[in-house]
Amino acid sequence: QIVLEADLTIQTIMEKLQSYKSRVALNFEGIQYRVGDFQVRVGKVAPSYSETMRGIIMEVEYLPISSVLTAKQILEDFVDAWKDALSKKSLPGQFLHIEPNFGEYGLSDHYTSQHTAVQYATVMAQLIATVQSAQVRT
Amino acid sequence: MECVVQGIIETQHVEALEILLQGLCGVNKERLRVHELCLKSSPNLGFVSSEVRLVCDLEQPEPTWIVRHIGGAMRGAGAEQISVLVRTMVESKASKNALRLFYALGYKLDHELLRVGSAFHFHRGAQITVTVSSVNKMPKLHAIDEAVPVTPGIQLVEVTAPATADNYAEVVAAVSSFCEYLAP
């Protein structure tokens, strides 16, 4: 498993090489909030060619700590409290969280933008699998 | 896109050329030490074969990597009237695991070389870079310290300038004009 950090022009290079073709492109767009030491981003996920929403993404960041292990418990506590508040609203759907294995990508415990990329890749894979599963059922 | 002019010079004349370039460009020379790896796609990858270059600048305190794709040269009646090579070129800075990634994508190392010499970066009608360098091959994989010149006694002179579809004519003119000073 590899995560590469590169300029935006890497996309142009990959298109010109023609060895791989883009299969799915998703847009994540929403609003950022600040709640004390927490930064929360909530947005909709839609294919780049369409406004049809495929899901909702929520990103929670605990700003004072950059250690993945150290911040794990406080992030879980925040999400549990938020889910409890959300359950009282009787809204449809539920948020799923899959913990990426950063170690498989050779990433350390110190959180970086590469960790974020891995998390978004995991979210995308999860979302695609959920959409495909729903299509098979229908 | 970029404009390119290439030439060769005997190593014994490099010092004189560098003095000339310093005067013409108005800048001091910078040391150049670049490890270039040329990767090609394996036969069953994609519909067409493709080539990509990974360039590692060894002169930086921490080596930096660039992924570079060089496309075809401009062709046709217009191109025949231009004395400068105009070709598509896209590059991207990348983290140091770029080589691992392209190996994982199915690319294989076709050849690698080490370029050692000097570079001049300046603006004269266009942003121009002149490099004077020996091109060296490695007897063993990635053995930079054992590199030997491909053509002993001869060095490569390259004049390059980035361009776009909108301004390549001006860049061609600037590069052509500058190159007249380097003509033997």
Side-chain angles (χ1 to χ4, degrees):
Chain A
Q1 306 270 50
I2 301 169
V3 55
L4 177 80
E5 198 166 344
D7 288 340
L8 202 57
T9 45
I10 196 72
Q11 291 185 356
T12 306
I13 291 174
M14 296 310 294
E15 284 164 19
K16 285 187 178 295
L17 288 174
Q18 296 184 62
S19 49
Y20 287 84
K21 201 174 168 184
S22 172
R23 196 165 68 94
V24 174
L26 295 175
N27 276 345
F28 297 77
E29 192 178 329
I31 300 172
Q32 180 172 294
Y33 303 89
R34 184 71 182 264
V35 185
D37 287 330
F38 292 88
Q39 185 163 272
V40 179
R41 293 187 177 116
V42 182
K44 74 171 189 181
V45 186
S48 56
Y49 55 83
S50 164
E51 288 290 316
T52 309
M53 192 172 72
R54 295 290 190 201
I56 295 174
I57 186 166
M58 180 168 156
E59 187 184 318
V60 182
E61 186 178 353
Y62 184 59
L63 297 168
I65 294 177
S66 52
S67 158
V68 173
L69 284 172
T70 309
K72 189 171 167 14
Q73 188 57 57
I74 194 165
L75 282 168
E76 285 176 357
D77 290 346
F78 179 94
V79 171
D80 286 344
W82 178 79
K83 277 184 176 174
D84 188 52
L86 200 65
S87 66
K88 298 181 171 67
K89 300 282 184 184
S90 304
L91 294 170
Q94 57 175 346
F95 275 87
L96 300 172
H97 172 68
I98 295 180
E99 194 73 36
N101 189 339
F102 295 122
E104 282 182 1
Y105 291 85
L107 298 179
S108 71
D109 183 58
H110 181 88
Y111 191 84
T112 64
S113 55
Q114 294 193 6
H115 290 76
T116 308
V118 168
Q119 286 174 305
Y120 270 85
T122 306
V123 162
M124 274 187 72
Q126 182 186 341
L127 192 62
I128 291 166
T130 306
V131 168
Q132 284 176 344
S133 171
Q135 284 172 344
V136 166
R137 282 201 298 271
T138 56
Chain B
M1 196 179 251
E2 64 175 359
C3 298
V4 182
V5 174
Q6 292 175 320
I8 54 172
I9 189 169
E10 290 179 28
T11 303
Q12 60 180 318
H13 300 307
V14 164
E15 193 177 338
L17 176 62
E18 286 178 347
I19 293 170
L20 172 65
L21 286 169
Q22 194 155 339
L24 282 174
C25 307
V27 297
N28 290 326
K29 70 178 180 185
E30 295 174 20
R31 284 159 55 101
L32 179 80
R33 190 174 163 81
V34 165
H35 183 191
E36 194 170 311
L37 301 100
C38 182
L39 307 180
K40 287 193 176 165
S41 56
S42 49
N44 56 350
L45 184 65
F47 294 112
V48 296
S49 65
S50 56
E51 185 179 299
V52 67
R53 289 161 201 243
L54 300 191
V55 179
C56 181
D57 185 349
L58 299 170
E59 272 300 314
Q60 303 299 320
E62 187 70 32
T64 57
W65 288 84
I66 287 176
V67 178
R68 183 177 290 155
H69 178 265
I70 295 177
M74 198 169 97
R75 291 184 291 185
E80 286 167 17
Q81 292 171 20
I82 299 176
S83 56
V84 170
L85 173 68
V86 181
R87 63 188 183 189
T88 57
M89 192 279 290
V90 186
E91 60 181 31
S92 165
K93 292 195 183 90
S95 47
K96 61 185 177 184
N97 56 355
L99 182 60
R100 259 186 70 214
L101 177 85
F102 278 97
Y103 279 158
L105 291 178
Y107 282 79
K108 308 265 185 253
L109 181 67
D110 183 73
H111 65 272
E112 59 179 337
L113 49 90
L114 179 73
R115 293 180 53 189
V116 181
S118 54
F120 299 80
H121 305 283
F122 60 99
H123 193 279
R124 195 184 176 110
Q127 192 58 39
I128 299 175
T129 295
V130 182
T131 59
V132 184
S133 60
S134 67
V135 179
N136 302 273
K137 58 186 177 184
M138 281 153 257
K140 289 185 300 217
L141 188 67
H142 306 331
I144 294 167
D145 295 332
E146 296 171 43
V148 294
V150 173
T151 50
I154 298 282
Q155 295 203 14
L156 177 68
V157 181
E158 270 194 322
V159 181
T160 58
T164 65
D166 296 328
N167 76 351
Y168 78 88
E170 287 84 24
V171 176
V172 163
V175 170
S176 289
S177 168
F178 178 79
C179 287
E180 286 181 12
Y181 291 101
L182 305 184

